[in-house]
Amino acid sequence: GQSLEQPSEVTAVEGAIVQINCTYQTSGFYGLSWYQQHDGGAPTFLSYNALDGLEETGRFSSFLSRSDSYGYLLLQELQMKDSASYFCAVHPGNTPLVFGKGTRLSVIA
Amino acid sequence: NAGVTQTPKFQVLKTGQSMTLQCAQDMNHEYMSWYRQDPGMGLRLIHYSVGAGITDQGEVPNGYNVSRSTTEDFPLRLLSAAPSQTSVYFCASSPDSATGELFFGEGSRLTVL
């Protein structure tokens, strides 16, 4: 089976940097994805790491360490619109993505 | 390009009623899946399909049926609705099983009284 752990809530100040961690246990592993979901909306894809290291997409970066079964999402220059829930998801390979329970990010002025 | 379309967006059922949540995608994706989302529980996989004519169970399949007669459509049937099935249901698709990127529909919010 698979299990993922991520913090339930994080609060950060506008303009700051925040890191959302994700640890996982899985019987098979192809990669780690990150999704953003605003209240009342659908999850939207942010990034996917199949290899160790850092992937950067604008203000968002995602990191993966396969040996540590660990990844994180880094959000820089936080904006109020970044207030949302963020989900990490494991790609086991033989079945669809398995999602964590999500981290609710609140950006305050 | 509509992407993934779910209908209805909102539905209220009485216990014991049956209904079908519709999902259609116009991206020619082989891989489709249904998730349910409950507060504090993240997204849990109900059923998925790797192509027309092929379906399989996910983490929480009880009380739900699916079929995949075409590449475009992947309906989810509730056989006899129960209050525990009150949830938000999301349909998702991807080109194949090798990608970590899913394209989600807008969701169907179901209340069972």
Side-chain angles (χ1 to χ4, degrees), chain A residues 16-69:
Chain A
I17 300 173
V18 70
Q19 178 174 313
I20 299 174
N21 298 322
C22 175
T23 58
Y24 59 87
Q25 291 184 326
T26 178
S27 54
F29 184 80
Y30 276 26
L32 189 70
S33 298
W34 288 92
Y35 286 79
Q36 179 191 61
Q37 185 181 32
H38 287 99
D39 286 347
T44 57
F45 173 79
L46 292 176
S47 67
Y48 178 63
N49 294 64
L51 303 175
D52 285 357
L54 190 68
E55 297 275 347
E56 298 182 56
T57 307
R59 295 187 296 114
F60 293 4
S61 302
S62 57
F63 172 83
L64 176 65
S65 169
R66 296 172 71 108
S67 60
D68 295 323
S69 297

Side-chain angles (χ1 to χ4, degrees), chain A residues 57-85:
Chain A
T57 307
R59 295 187 296 114
F60 293 4
S61 302
S62 57
F63 172 83
L64 176 65
S65 169
R66 296 172 71 108
S67 60
D68 295 323
S69 297
Y70 164 74
Y72 66 72
L73 180 69
L74 191 73
L75 295 82
Q76 303 182 66
E77 300 173 15
L78 280 172
Q79 302 175 10
M80 301 301 286
K81 68 179 182 179
D82 296 329
S83 292
S85 293

Side-chain angles (χ1 to χ4, degrees), chain B residues 4-72:
Chain B
V4 179
T5 302
Q6 290 183 233
T7 57
K9 288 184 170 51
F10 300 93
Q11 183 71 49
V12 178
L13 290 178
K14 294 181 179 179
T15 297
Q17 288 184 318
S18 62
M19 77 158 298
T20 299
L21 300 178
Q22 302 290 346
C23 176
Q25 52 91 11
D26 61 359
M27 298 175 283
N28 201 33
H29 285 173
E30 290 295 323
Y31 214 68
M32 297 186 74
S33 50
W34 277 101
Y35 291 86
R36 62 176 287 175
Q37 185 174 35
D38 304 295
M41 296 294 293
L43 292 130
R44 292 183 292 168
L45 181 67
I46 305 172
H47 285 285
Y48 66 100
S49 169
V50 299
I54 306 170
T55 64
D56 208 342
Q57 296 181 354
E59 178 187 357
V60 288
N62 292 340
Y64 308 95
N65 268 357
V66 292
S67 60
R68 186 92 181 273
S69 56
T70 67
T71 298
E72 294 77 20

